[in-house]
Amino acid sequence: AQSVTQLGSHVSVSEGALVLLRCNYSSSVPPYLFWYVQYPNQGLQLLLKYTSAATLVKGINGFEAEFKKSETSFHLTKPSAHMSDAAEYFCAVSDEPGNQFYFGTGTSLTVIP
Amino acid sequence: NAGVTQTPKFQVLKTGQSMTLQCAQDMNHEYMSWYRQDPGMGLRLIHYSVGAGITDQGEVPNGYNVSRSTTEDFPLRLLSAAPSQTSVYFCASRPRGSYNEQFFGPGTRLTVL
């Protein structure tokens, strides 16, 4: 079965600093990878997804992620953190033929003013 | 479009009671899934469906039943509630295809006393 590992259950950054949230996947075939964000007491919202069209994927709210096959990674970055970025972030991988999603355990991002 | 809707938003049950969590989507998506979210464990798949009349078990199916009589609805039944089922439950839907993201409902917060 496929899986994703998110390193760091809690990440704190200062407002304006770089955001880096790590995700590594386990897959024997090119995966379909996703990043979701969850604001307090809400459902999950898609930030971006990798579907093999380009290794650098741009998402909403200034986030982007780079697919690195050699490192089996799909880390999420944002050049400058904003207070509104404080949330829980989940990395996920879809299997073939796409029946199931496998989620990481999540990373809680705190932005310090 | 309303997207994915879930009812109720909050529910408190006593041990041994049964109930049904409702989920509906108006996007004509083939795939629907139920997840539970617990602190530090990410989202775990309970049951999923790839179309009307077709359901399958996910990672944590024990104590839950589902059915899919229509494309739009995918109710989750708790047969005899236990305190271990205290959690936040999310319903999601997606179109067919591994590269397609899931769309999530707002969640149901369930407490079993």
Side-chain angles (χ1 to χ4, degrees), chain B residues 4 23 31-35 90-94 102-105:
Chain B
V4 180
C23 174
Y31 292 178
M32 297 187 74
S33 303
W34 275 103
Y35 295 87
F90 289 100
C91 180
S93 73
R94 67 187 293 206
Q102 294 202 86
F103 295 79
F104 284 83

Side-chain angles (χ1 to χ4, degrees), chain B:
Chain B
N1 287 351
V4 180
T5 57
Q6 292 183 238
T7 56
K9 293 192 174 185
F10 302 94
Q11 183 70 50
V12 178
L13 292 178
K14 295 181 179 179
T15 297
Q17 288 184 316
S18 63
M19 79 159 297
T20 299
L21 306 184
Q22 300 292 343
C23 174
Q25 54 95 6
D26 61 359
M27 297 173 283
N28 202 32
H29 289 169
E30 294 94 336
Y31 292 178
M32 297 187 74
S33 303
W34 275 103
Y35 295 87
R36 59 177 290 172
Q37 183 179 26
D38 302 290
M41 304 190 74
L43 280 84
R44 293 182 292 169
L45 182 66
I46 304 172
H47 286 285
Y48 67 98
S49 169
V50 299
I54 306 170
T55 63
D56 206 347
Q57 296 181 351
E59 180 185 357
V60 288
N62 292 341
Y64 308 95
N65 272 0
V66 293
S67 60
R68 184 101 178 266
S69 57
T70 66
T71 300
E72 294 78 19
D73 300 300
F74 192 43
L76 178 71
R77 297 181 186 84
L78 280 70
L79 307 173
S80 177
S84 60
Q85 294 179 304
T86 294
S87 187
V88 181
Y89 292 83
F90 289 100
C91 180
S93 73
R94 67 187 293 206
R96 186 184 303 273
S98 300
Y99 48 87
N100 286 318
E101 67 268 27
Q102 294 202 86
F103 295 79
F104 284 83
T108 294
R109 186 174 295 274
L110 175 68
T111 301
V112 182
L113 303 175

Side-chain angles (χ1 to χ4, degrees), chain A residues 5 24 31-32 35 38 46-47 56 62 65 69 78 90 99 109 112:
Chain A
T5 302
N24 289 87
Y32 297 100
W35 274 101
Q38 184 182 31
L46 181 72
L47 271 178
L56 183 62
K69 185 177 180 180
K78 182 174 181 178
F90 292 94
N99 291 342
L109 176 67
I112 303 167

